Amino acid sequence: MSESVIADFVGKFNSEVAGRGDPIKGRIVLSQKRLVLAASEDDKLTIPLDSIFDIAIGQVPPDLGDFFDSTVTIAFERKGKRLVAAIEAGDEKIEKFGTVLFKAVINGTETTVKERARVGGRVTDEAFKSAKLFLTPGNVEFRRNDGSFAVDLKTVSDFDRNTREINGKSRPVLTVRHMKDGTAMTTLAAMASNRKMSILGRYLRREYAELMEELKDVELTKDKKEVLVAMYSTGDMDGMPLASILGKDSSQVSMILQDLSADGLVQDGADGPTLTPTGKIVASRHLEDVNA
């Protein structure tokens, strides 16, 4: 290959193209433009990255056999047909390869982005600007000529996909609601490619699911929810008497704050306790619970 190699390792794989009953051991090589599954010098499957329309980790179509464990499954187009291939290796290797594959497909994608489409409850008049999209650890980064910015995935409270008319053309648009510098914000990112938007959506759902998995073990009592929502709704209190606002004893509130700090949802700030980025996500998700 003339392009540089990003990943090169030995694993097992199968594909609908090969039509094998069981996966076979071979070499998996990923470059900037293609993925090659080589059982031997004469038995290779080459998948151009621009033919890939979906990537899934840990899911194997039943037609490819029940012998896979830790896997990356790739859906791609070949001669007008939609096909799948599955790759198996150790847990850590597959996790790293899946992330690298997402980056290889997405990084450098041309987007049109509106960084601050909404700030708090206010819709801004900011215009869409051209940017290149990159996936970096824990972030989605938009690189523009007038300056780059990143969305920290740990601060994302919600995202969805819709369609908008931008510069006279209908484009798939990703709407991301997140926190930045303590303020709720909405960022819009449009792509010309539905294929890449779908792959980006898959990546974000996976990353978001992992974050939610980390939070599922946090036990939130009614009192904890009330404290989180009160801090979220009033901008981390700014020195206001939290106990009196909640109608609770100050010692009781102090104990709740200590528990929330241990959960990673509250931290000490210059003016008293403040919500962590994760705390803000959790609080925003429980607004209706408390206000009901």
Side-chain angles (χ1 to χ4, degrees):
M1 295 180 195
S2 59
E3 66 268 16
S4 61
V5 172
I6 301 171
D8 186 348
F9 63 98
V10 173
K12 292 182 179 180
F13 49 81
N14 203 353
S15 72
E16 291 179 328
V17 176
R20 300 185 184 93
D22 299 336
I24 190 170
K25 188 175 182 178
R27 187 178 171 197
I28 296 103
V29 183
L30 174 65
S31 74
Q32 296 166 317
K33 294 183 179 180
R34 69 204 79 201
L35 172 65
V36 178
L37 308 180
S40 67
E41 197 63 38
D42 300 321
D43 184 3
K44 296 180 180 178
L45 171 62
T46 298
I47 304 173
L49 296 191
D50 61 9
S51 72
I52 295 174
F53 62 87
D54 197 10
I55 300 167
I57 298 178
Q59 301 174 20
V60 184
D63 292 346
L64 294 186
D66 301 321
F67 302 98
F68 286 98
D69 187 11
S70 298
T71 59
V72 172
T73 303
I74 299 108
F76 60 100
E77 291 186 351
R78 181 184 175 93
K79 297 179 180 179
K81 293 183 178 180
R82 292 192 159 197
L83 303 165
V84 294
I87 298 168
E88 179 190 38
D91 290 349
E92 186 175 348
K93 187 170 288 185
I94 279 295
E95 190 69 24
K96 288 181 179 178
F97 174 68
T99 300
V100 168
L101 181 58
F102 272 115
K103 290 180 178 180
V105 173
I106 293 295
N107 282 2
T109 298
E110 295 286 347
T111 62
T112 309
V113 64
K114 185 183 289 191
E115 179 182 1
R116 296 169 177 262
R118 182 186 291 268
V119 177
R122 178 176 60 88
V123 177
T124 71
D125 58 0
E126 182 170 321
F128 278 96
K129 296 181 181 179
S130 296
K132 288 189 175 181
L133 175 66
F134 289 85
L135 304 178
T136 58
N139 295 277
V140 175
E141 186 176 341
F142 298 92
R143 299 178 186 174
R144 303 183 309 209
N145 292 332
D146 62 349
S148 302
F149 72 95
V151 174
D152 183 345
L153 295 179
K154 285 190 175 180
T155 71
V156 173
S157 58
D158 189 23
F159 60 87
D160 59 55
R161 174 182 170 176
N162 48 48
T163 303
R164 290 182 179 223
E165 187 171 310
I166 301 172
N167 298 328
K169 295 182 179 179
S170 181
R171 295 272 186 98
V173 175
L174 180 70
T175 302
V176 183
R177 285 168 282 276
H178 59 106
M179 302 295 297
K180 189 165 186 178
D181 300 326
T183 302
M185 190 174 299
T186 300
T187 294
L188 303 178
M191 294 183 185
S193 169
N194 275 295
R195 177 182 68 87
K196 287 199 174 184
M197 179 65 83
S198 295
I199 294 172
L200 175 62
R202 172 76 81 170
Y203 175 82
L204 292 175
R205 285 193 296 273
R206 174 172 168 263
E207 293 293 302
Y208 195 67
E210 288 183 2
L211 175 60
M212 291 301 105
E213 184 71 19
E214 292 176 12
L215 296 177
K216 79 173 187 178
D217 293 331
V218 176
E219 184 180 343
L220 288 181
T221 62
K222 181 181 178 182
D223 287 341
K224 284 185 179 181
K225 290 179 184 178
E226 288 179 351
V227 170
L228 286 173
V229 169
M231 294 177 71
Y232 180 81
S233 302
T234 55
D236 291 343
M237 309 312 298
D238 291 329
M240 289 187 290
L242 180 57
S244 61
I245 290 175
L246 291 168
K248 298 180 183 295
D249 181 77
S250 59
S251 60
Q252 181 186 7
V253 172
S254 294
M255 291 178 63
I256 296 171
L257 288 171
Q258 288 177 11
D259 290 342
L260 290 172
S261 178
D263 293 333
L265 304 179
V266 168
Q267 61 192 354
D268 289 330
D271 298 317
T274 65
L275 294 174
T276 63
T278 304
K280 289 171 181 172
I281 294 173
V282 174
S284 68
R285 293 169 68 88
H286 290 288
L287 280 171
E288 291 184 4
D289 296 350
V290 172
N291 294 330

